[in-house]
Amino acid sequence: MVLPALLLFVVFGVVPLVGVLVLSFTQWDGLGAIHAAGLSNWKSVLTDSQLPHSILVTFEIMILSWAVQTPMSLLLGTFLAGRQRYRAFLAVLYFIPLLLSSAAIAITYKALLDPNFGLGAGLKIGFLTQDWLGQSNLAIGVVIFIVSWQFIPFHSLIYQGGVRQIPTTLYEAASIDGAGRVRQFFSITVPQLKYTIITSSTLMVVGSLTFFDLIFVLTAGGPGDATRVLALDMYKRGFMSNQMGPASVIAALIVLLGLALALLLRRLGGSTTASQQEGA
Amino acid sequence: MDPNATSRRTFLGLVGSGALAAGLAACGSSGPTSTPGSTTGGGAPAGSGASYWFLTGQPQQGIREAQVKRFNDANSSTKLKTTEFQNDAFKQKIKTAIGAGQGPTLIWGWGGGGLKAYVEAGQVEDLTGWLGQNATLKNSIFPSAFTAATVNGKIYAVPGETVTPIVLFYDKRAFEKIGAQPPKSWGDILDLVPKFNAKGIAPFSLGGQSRWTNMMWLEFLFDRIGGSEVFQNIYDGKKDGWSDPSAIKALEEMQKLIKANGFIKGFSSITADSNADQALLFTGKAAMMLHGAWTYGNMKSSGGDFVTGGHLGYMNFPPVDGGKGDPTDTVGNPGQYMSISSKASQADKDTAKKFIANNTLDDATVEAWVKSGNIPVVKSAKDKLSSITDKNDSEWLNFVYDTAANAKNFAQSWDQALSPTQAETLLDNIAKLFQLSISPQQFATNMNAVIGK
């Protein structure tokens, strides 16, 4: 049963990866012949002043959106894990943002945030009529907000599942010992969700490396290069500047970063697979 | 009833539905749509007949389809097969297809840097000799349109379709409100800025997030201050061309206007593709706008009585005091371009040439372009203008014709004239220049680094 999966992985995972690596050592404008370029692409990209900026923006968005999403999803997920019927209804409502495509979300928010014709101007609310996408800090804030808005439902769902796995006996015992709801949350729910948190964080962190569609439609990397994340940098070099070589270097860097981060998060989770119920 | 609030609400609705429609259209038509009767889709291999790929979108699409129909009706043995693409899909697909040797016989494009890349890869046919033999065709076209079709002194594409210069639009009502006349010079523009701001009207509308919108300003300032040779030097790859004293002066004047609040607040988050910049002009929020002639149609259809009520004014960009440039010069799109694939068979090449010669700028096409509110790239367009009955349209079309025909130099938009590598760096740096996050000197240094690439 391993063979079909392996075959798919080789065809759609390994082959393109090797292709990108090969391209990163060549010079190609996507049109004419491909010339070998040795290490020159790597040298020029690694010494390019754009690269540290793109990496910085990528990490900024990654860390801040993780910091916003994790507590929110954890609380929402715990709340939704109850069995009352109104919670099931709310869960459906909360889930809606995830059903929309990123491009549609970006177009909608762009219209809403327009300083002259958007929500703020229409409702005459001064605070909302900022130049949201035209100022560097505001634009990054908007991206983090929209990303969180879009993905909190998904992570809430994961946490909801995680919380429902926790045996009720733990809570019953805690109640008998006189622990309140807050104490139960921090002493039982959060520690029991350790692996869920790591899973959800891995998805957030590695996923944020590939943020592209939303940012591309929303700000196209602007204003200036304030929201130019690595994936966007790769696209711009490859498909707008016609420099496939340097773009492949960035692609390879994204793969390396993703692998490193996933491994790091696994390491943080510890290698023990012992039952959580014992140690908590 | 507050007319402002209604127009804003209707506009919000328009933006919403427009965005939705654009989104839907993008989903629905990103793939190629073959015309009925064509036997193969994209990528017809050589020998199976001549093929022609072009863009969807009215009114251009209908005019192109009619051209092909007339050609195919007249030449039943050598029919031209067409495949239509939505704009962004086309840009990717055509490049990939040509790179893979699967391109169409007849290549529709924008000339300039993109065409140069095809030429350097040996993908398109040299048409200099053929155009020499077809002197009537060549002489009927505006001479300025050939610049963007010429690489190293040879012509690789035939200009076709329409001329769209960049124009300074203004709202006559806004000028009445402050009791001033439209600017006759760059100095007048700078003087008008505080007057409009004092009345709560933004002097200029600008969709700065699109970046190429900002570029139109630099195109004119470079020309008016230093003359057309400043950009020509850059185009030709002259070392440090962006550091020309006139170029630095132009960049400084640009930042002076930005610092004086010449543009609407929040311009760097406004996009041109949503037409919000045009809406700012026709809703009275901004007094002037530098934009392509192609915006006229939308302002007429979406702007209420803005155009039909005679409130829209327009002019060529005014001269800069003491500048070297010819004030008749203009910039924009001098035409769209058709090239012939060098990989096609001789028979297919002949079919494509016959189509170009007989059907791309024939009488019926010229008439159709004028009727759609465009000026085709031929001198005979003037004769058709008298048939336009709408007074506003007639004045507008005559203005566009005269601007294009009388221009000493009709420069192609920089992002199309330069190679993709230079164009992308340029757009990035222009955005930063307009945000005042880099100085004119830094701009020049960044741009000099990619000259000739």
Side-chain angles (χ1 to χ4, degrees):
Chain A
M1 290 312 286
V2 174
L3 202 62
L6 190 70
L7 193 73
L8 280 177
F9 178 67
V10 168
V11 171
F12 294 106
V14 178
V15 169
L17 199 62
V18 172
V20 161
L21 266 180
V22 170
L23 267 187
S24 75
F25 296 103
T26 63
Q27 201 175 11
W28 187 39
D29 63 359
L31 196 66
I34 304 179
H35 303 286
L39 287 170
S40 65
N41 289 327
W42 284 86
K43 232 184 241 165
S44 76
V45 170
L46 292 177
T47 55
D48 187 345
S49 61
Q50 181 67 50
L51 187 72
H53 176 80
S54 298
I55 293 180
L56 190 76
V57 173
T58 308
F59 275 96
E60 204 175 336
I61 291 177
M62 178 193 294
I63 291 166
L64 288 176
S65 64
W66 177 85
V68 172
Q69 286 182 75
T70 303
M72 293 277 292
S73 316
L74 190 57
L75 285 172
L76 264 179
T78 311
F79 169 73
L80 292 173
R83 302 275 177 186
Q84 295 90 335
R85 187 170 287 169
Y86 77 93
R87 294 195 192 183
F89 175 71
L90 285 177
V92 172
L93 273 190
Y94 294 155
F95 202 65
I96 287 176
L98 195 72
L99 301 177
L100 305 171
S101 93
S102 299
I105 291 174
I107 290 174
T108 311
Y109 268 100
K110 210 164 149 177
L112 290 174
L113 294 172
D114 186 300
N116 297 293
F117 301 106
L119 201 61
L123 302 175
K124 301 205 162 57
I125 302 172
F127 167 72
L128 281 176
T129 49
Q130 313 254 7
D131 187 8
W132 290 109
L133 301 174
Q135 282 172 16
S136 307
N137 291 334
L138 284 180
I140 287 200
V142 168
V143 169
I144 290 165
F145 173 82
I146 300 178
V147 164
S148 307
W149 180 84
Q150 188 183 6
F151 289 110
I152 282 176
F154 174 69
H155 295 284
S156 299
L157 195 73
I158 296 184
Y159 284 119
Q160 183 192 16
V163 172
R164 284 191 177 164
Q165 292 284 322
I166 303 173
T168 44
T169 47
L170 289 177
Y171 291 102
E172 284 161 9
S175 298
I176 293 168
D177 289 345
R181 297 185 72 167
V182 177
R183 183 68 200 266
Q184 287 183 14
F185 176 76
F186 284 107
S187 300
I188 301 172
T189 314
V190 176
Q192 287 289 321
L193 286 177
K194 183 180 167 192
Y195 291 118
T196 317
I197 294 175
I198 288 167
T199 305
S200 149
S201 299
T202 309
L203 287 172
M204 280 184 206
V205 165
V206 178
S208 75
L209 276 179
T210 58
F211 280 154
F212 172 76
D213 39 7
L214 181 93
I215 299 179
F216 183 63
V217 178
L218 193 71
T219 65
D225 53 11
T227 54
R228 184 164 169 161
V229 292
L230 277 175
L232 203 62
D233 200 26
M234 170 185 78
Y235 175 81
K236 288 197 160 193
R237 285 177 203 256
F239 295 100
M240 294 178 86
S241 296
N242 279 7
Q243 292 179 307
M244 294 296 170
S248 302
V249 174
I250 307 260
L253 288 175
I254 293 177
V255 172
L256 287 178
L257 260 177
L259 280 176
L261 284 168
L263 285 175
L264 184 76
L265 282 162
R266 247 192 91 81
R267 181 67 54 85
L268 281 180
S271 53
T272 165
T273 46
S275 165
Q276 293 174 70
Q277 286 178 43
E278 308 296 326
Chain B
M1 194 177 85
D2 175 10
N4 244 345
T6 5
S7 63
R8 197 181 292 129
R9 209 174 303 135
T10 12
F11 178 73
L12 256 181
L14 275 177
V15 165
S17 56
L20 192 65
L24 289 174
C27 299
S29 65
S30 55
T33 356
S34 291
T35 46
S38 78
T39 45
T40 49
S48 71
S51 53
Y52 177 27
W53 293 5
F54 56 78
L55 297 187
T56 55
Q58 297 299 351
Q60 293 83 350
Q61 185 184 354
I63 293 173
R64 289 174 197 136
E65 283 166 359
Q67 289 171 343
V68 175
K69 187 173 182 306
R70 280 199 301 278
F71 179 80
N72 286 345
D73 287 349
N75 303 279
S76 51
S77 59
T78 52
K79 283 191 177 177
L80 194 60
K81 288 176 200 126
T82 61
T83 310
E84 302 177 2
F85 295 87
Q86 193 246 348
N87 188 9
D88 289 340
F90 177 80
K91 284 182 183 164
Q92 291 304 325
K93 174 86 181 167
I94 188 103
K95 211 180 79 185
T96 321
I98 291 174
Q102 297 278 309
T105 319
L106 198 53
I107 303 164
W108 190 99
W110 292 269
L115 178 67
K116 198 171 171 218
Y118 294 157
V119 172
E120 280 163 3
Q123 299 283 0
V124 289
E125 189 93 331
D126 177 5
L127 298 174
T128 323
W130 180 74
L131 275 166
Q133 292 154 23
N134 290 272
T136 344
L137 173 71
K138 194 184 174 195
N139 294 333
S140 71
I141 299 171
F142 289 143
S144 56
F146 281 97
T147 316
T150 309
V151 181
N152 300 328
K154 288 179 185 155
I155 303 173
Y156 288 92
V158 180
E161 308 202 341
T162 58
V163 279
T164 33
I166 310 291
V167 169
L168 183 60
F169 293 99
Y170 60 91
D171 181 358
K172 291 178 186 167
R173 297 169 299 186
F175 279 90
E176 278 161 27
K177 269 186 203 155
I178 63 158
Q181 291 301 309
K184 291 200 173 58
S185 68
W186 178 250
D188 285 354
I189 288 182
L190 293 176
D191 290 342
L192 284 167
V193 166
K195 290 180 192 161
F196 278 119
N197 279 330
K199 280 274 180 191
I201 303 173
F204 284 99
S205 169
L206 182 67
Q209 201 195 321
S210 304
R211 308 183 300 173
W212 56 265
T213 42
N214 305 350
M215 180 184 67
M216 301 189 288
W217 281 89
L218 293 185
E219 288 167 355
F220 272 117
L221 280 174
F222 269 55
D223 178 273
R224 295 293 188 265
I225 291 173
S228 58
E229 62 272 20
V230 180
F231 181 69
Q232 191 60 42
N233 285 339
I234 293 166
Y235 179 77
D236 294 339
K238 190 183 160 203
K239 197 173 176 290
D240 294 334
W242 291 96
S243 306
D244 187 291
S246 302
I248 299 290
K249 171 95 189 319
L251 296 166
E252 283 166 358
E253 289 296 318
M254 196 64 248
Q255 290 202 326
K256 204 194 270 181
L257 181 66
I258 298 162
K259 282 177 192 153
N261 294 322
F263 295 102
I264 187 141
K265 192 171 159 265
F267 70 84
S268 41
S269 56
I270 299 171
T271 52
D273 47 11
S274 63
N275 295 337
D277 46 356
Q278 299 168 38
L280 287 167
L281 182 72
F282 63 62
T283 55
K285 290 189 170 62
M288 296 174 273
M289 175 178 76
L290 188 66
H291 218 310
W294 59 82
T295 54
Y296 177 83
N298 180 61
M299 287 197 282
K300 193 180 173 193
S301 58
S302 311
D305 73 337
F306 183 59
V307 173
T308 49
H311 304 305
L312 172 70
Y314 36 81
M315 62 163 96
N316 198 351
F317 195 87
V320 175
D321 322 74
K324 280 180 254 172
D326 190 312
T328 66
D329 285 356
T330 190
V331 302
N333 300 339
Q336 289 76 38
Y337 295 88
M338 266 160 284
S339 308
I340 293 175
S341 166
S342 56
K343 303 280 186 276
S345 70
Q346 193 53 46
D348 290 351
K349 285 180 191 172
D350 291 342
T351 307
K353 281 177 183 167
K354 201 168 167 190
F355 172 76
I356 292 179
N358 296 337
N359 296 86
T360 56
L361 289 164
D362 57 332
D363 211 44
T365 303
V366 171
E367 193 160 336
W369 281 123
V370 173
K371 282 233 172 75
S372 72
N374 290 287
I375 295 290
V377 62
V378 284
K379 294 164 190 164
S380 64
K382 185 81 177 171
D383 312 332
K384 305 281 178 197
L385 293 182
S386 52
S387 68
I388 303 292
T389 46
D390 182 300
K391 185 176 148 281
N392 291 310
D393 286 357
S394 169
E395 271 177 34
W396 164 250
L397 286 174
N398 274 295
F399 165 77
V400 175
Y401 180 90
D402 292 340
T403 307
N406 299 337
K408 286 258 160 39
N409 185 56
F410 194 143
Q412 191 184 24
S413 291
W414 290 354
D415 55 348
Q416 282 161 32
L418 294 172
S419 71
T421 305
Q422 291 184 72
E424 190 49 34
T425 314
L426 173 70
L427 292 171
D428 269 350
N429 279 285
I430 284 180
K432 289 180 192 162
L433 184 86
F434 271 65
Q435 276 198 303
L436 306 174
S437 61
I438 53 172
S439 69
Q441 280 74 19
Q442 282 167 306
F443 177 91
T445 313
N446 295 349
M447 288 312 301
N448 283 335
V450 292
I451 270 190
K453 281 193 181 167

